[in-house]
Amino acid sequence: MRPLANGATMRPSILVTGGAGYVGSHTVIALLEREGEYSNYDIVVVDNLVNAYSRAPNEKKPESIRVIEELTNKTIHFYPLDIRDAEGLSIVFENHSIDCVIHFAALKAVGESVEKPLEYYQANITGTCTLFEVMRKYGVYKLVYSSSCTVYGEPERLPLDEGHPTGRTLTSPYGRSKYFCEEIMKDLCTSDKKWMVISLRYFNPVGAHRSGRIGEDPSGIPNNLMPFIAQVAVGRLSELKVFGNDYNTVDGTGVRDYIHVEDLAEGHVKAIKLFQQPGFNGFHAVNLGTGTGYSVLQMIAAFEAASGRKIPYKIVGRRSGDIAANYADVSLSHRMLGWRATRTLDDMCADTWRWQSSNPNGFKKV
Ligand code: NAD
Ligand code: WQD
């Protein structure tokens, strides 16, 4: 706790960048739901709202944060701020006694990143470096970073373990931005032993909070499979295009390791506990997945069962840059974090459907 001039102390805080977004909001609620463990911590969110919905321009907090406050009956300190704004970030570090940072803020649309590489490198790399500079200025060296299985590129072997080479066959500026950030964090940890960095390599996050009140809310047509299926099921989109059925997989369609976003969120809660371990430091990459892959057709069947809706689909050609299959080796996450995914594919589909069917337009009510 940081002492104040009047002798009082500031409560320790966890700074969550991009905390109004999909994975960030589920992590914020997971932190607030941990009765006892983090109850003496304040949660501070900074988000520039580029991919988070606010009901009105003058609304103080985005909808996801507002709903979390309602569900938990707790207050979240929210700053509508871009992580490239060093002065703005400094004010946040002045106002709160930040103990550690969970860094989600980034642009994440793979296709868009091919068209707008500079915007992606600016937001994801410059933004990340600015955040690190401000952290160093305030003596905050504990960081959990949102990385991605995309850093592995085309798998040389399956399941993908953390020792698999990274950065070799990346096909998008988005993927490269995640890889470059990991390299930057390794360099930081080499330069100064005070840094403690856990880079969580997510596989494919899906699902929604069990309440059905928060979930994934993509703007425009979804790029990813699960939100696309959900929008077909609810009638917002007419048909799913299945990108290729000639891969060397169980039924020819792409196989991925889908992980429930609540399991993923709990992985972050476990990760920050490592900072309390005596002697813990350096850079650590850890996969967050289930270790099991499902094909596109298996996903469609599971969603039809969970929703009771038919998902019309058409097989089309392969999507450029796609790989046939990937799934995680999850043994390090078990050993190091004491964490494993517990929710099933049925849970992922049922929770997505609860969110999508009760909020057909996402956070927008009309
Ligand atoms: P999201 O877009 O829902 O959330 C990101 C949040 O960051 C948004 O609320 C957005 O408004 C905010 N943001 C973006 N740029 C910002 C900036 N410059 N300053 C401040 N805020 C900014 O995305 P998500 O799915 O929750 O992903 C979170 C993180 O996880 C990202 O870093 C992403 O690369 C990573 N990731 C996501 C997936 C996935 O499939 N969802 C998989 C692997 C890794
Ligand atoms: C899954 C499967 C598609 C849409 C992406 C990013 C990756 C990471 C996770 C952030 C594939 C098929 C999809 C559709 C389809 N994100 N599909 N029709 O490609 O594994 O990974 O999200 O770090 O970086 O690339 O996920 O959900 O797009 O695709 O047939 O309309 O569904 O071909 O086999 P992907 P996805």
Side-chain angles (χ1 to χ4, degrees):
M1 283 195 218
R2 192 194 298 162
L4 296 172
N6 64 4
T9 48
M10 264 182 185
R11 281 156 63 87
S13 304
I14 301 171
L15 173 61
V16 184
T17 74
Y22 174 46
V23 186
S25 58
H26 287 82
T27 302
V28 167
I29 199 165
L31 287 165
L32 292 173
E33 280 172 344
R34 297 294 278 214
E35 265 323 313
E37 267 184 90
Y38 294 103
S39 47
N40 65 329
Y41 281 77
D42 280 343
I43 304 297
V44 181
V45 169
V46 306
D47 196 302
N48 70 354
L49 305 182
V50 69
N51 200 28
Y53 175 71
S54 257
R55 272 202 293 194
N58 60 352
E59 188 71 46
K60 287 204 184 66
K61 290 180 178 170
E63 203 52 14
S64 54
I65 297 294
R66 207 191 56 72
V67 171
I68 295 173
E69 290 189 331
E70 209 174 286
L71 288 171
T72 59
N73 207 18
K74 293 185 178 155
T75 302
I76 296 162
H77 301 270
F78 179 76
Y79 293 82
L81 195 72
D82 194 296
I83 51 163
R84 285 163 289 187
D85 176 354
E87 271 179 38
L89 278 180
S90 296
I91 293 171
V92 176
F93 280 76
E94 291 286 341
N95 286 353
H96 303 273
S97 174
I98 306 291
D99 177 61
C100 65
V101 177
I102 311 182
H103 177 31
F104 295 101
L107 300 177
K108 64 159 184 179
V110 175
E112 185 185 62
S113 78
V114 177
E115 286 152 30
K116 300 179 176 173
L118 278 180
E119 283 79 353
Y120 272 69
Y121 290 135
Q122 257 290 335
N124 295 5
I125 300 181
T126 309
T128 295
C129 289
T130 306
L131 171 70
F132 294 168
E133 278 169 359
V134 177
M135 287 175 69
R136 188 178 57 182
K137 178 171 142 197
Y138 287 90
V140 177
Y141 294 100
K142 298 174 190 165
L143 172 76
V144 174
Y145 177 73
S146 288
S147 190
S148 168
C149 63
T150 201
V151 300
Y152 295 119
E154 180 85 40
E156 288 174 10
R157 57 177 184 265
L158 285 173
L160 283 160
D161 60 274
E162 290 82 352
H164 185 284
T166 57
R168 282 199 185 158
T169 50
L170 304 182
T171 52
S172 75
Y174 167 74
R176 269 187 282 278
S177 75
K178 292 278 132 179
Y179 166 71
F180 291 150
C181 283
E182 283 205 351
E183 296 303 300
I184 291 166
M185 294 184 294
K186 287 179 195 169
D187 288 340
L188 270 186
C189 291
T190 305
S191 74
D192 187 338
K193 300 292 174 229
K194 289 201 277 300
W195 283 98
M196 307 178 196
V197 178
I198 304 167
S199 185
L200 297 176
R201 294 179 179 160
Y202 312 160
F203 279 67
N204 288 51
V206 297
H209 189 256
R210 70 203 98 90
S211 65
R213 299 281 312 279
I214 58 167
E216 189 168 12
D217 186 16
S219 50
I221 311 249
N223 300 306
N224 297 116
L225 179 66
M226 189 64 136
F228 202 109
I229 291 181
Q231 291 197 13
V232 171
V234 85
R236 268 176 78 174
L237 296 168
S238 57
E239 169 183 84
L240 171 74
K241 291 187 178 65
V242 175
F243 298 138
N245 67 346
D246 55 353
Y247 288 107
N248 183 17
T249 61
V250 58
D251 55 22
T253 65
V255 164
R256 298 290 184 274
D257 185 339
Y258 297 94
I259 171 167
H260 196 297
V261 67
E262 286 198 88
D263 278 327
L264 196 69
E266 285 163 11
H268 294 72
V269 178
K270 292 283 189 188
I272 59 176
K273 287 186 97 138
L274 284 182
F275 298 143
Q276 290 161 8
Q277 264 184 17
F280 183 83
N281 74 354
F283 175 88
H284 304 267
V286 184
N287 288 339
L288 290 186
T290 65
T292 304
Y294 290 104
S295 74
V296 176
L297 295 184
Q298 288 170 332
M299 294 300 287
I300 295 172
F303 205 89
E304 286 184 339
S307 64
R309 299 279 175 100
K310 192 90 200 123
I311 311 294
Y313 70 87
K314 183 165 80 188
I315 308 284
V316 299
R318 293 181 178 192
R319 183 171 66 177
S320 137
D322 262 357
I323 54 173
N326 77 357
Y327 44 92
D329 181 324
V330 289
S331 45
L332 183 65
S333 64
H334 297 171
R335 275 200 318 275
M336 196 169 158
L337 306 180
W339 167 93
R340 61 184 70 225
T342 58
R343 293 160 179 90
T344 63
L345 179 59
D346 291 345
D347 297 328
M348 301 177 209
C349 293
D351 290 338
T352 302
W353 181 237
R354 187 173 305 109
W355 154 251
Q356 185 72 70
S357 55
S358 45
N359 305 274
N361 298 306
F363 286 112
K364 279 193 203 78
K365 291 298 167 218
V366 280

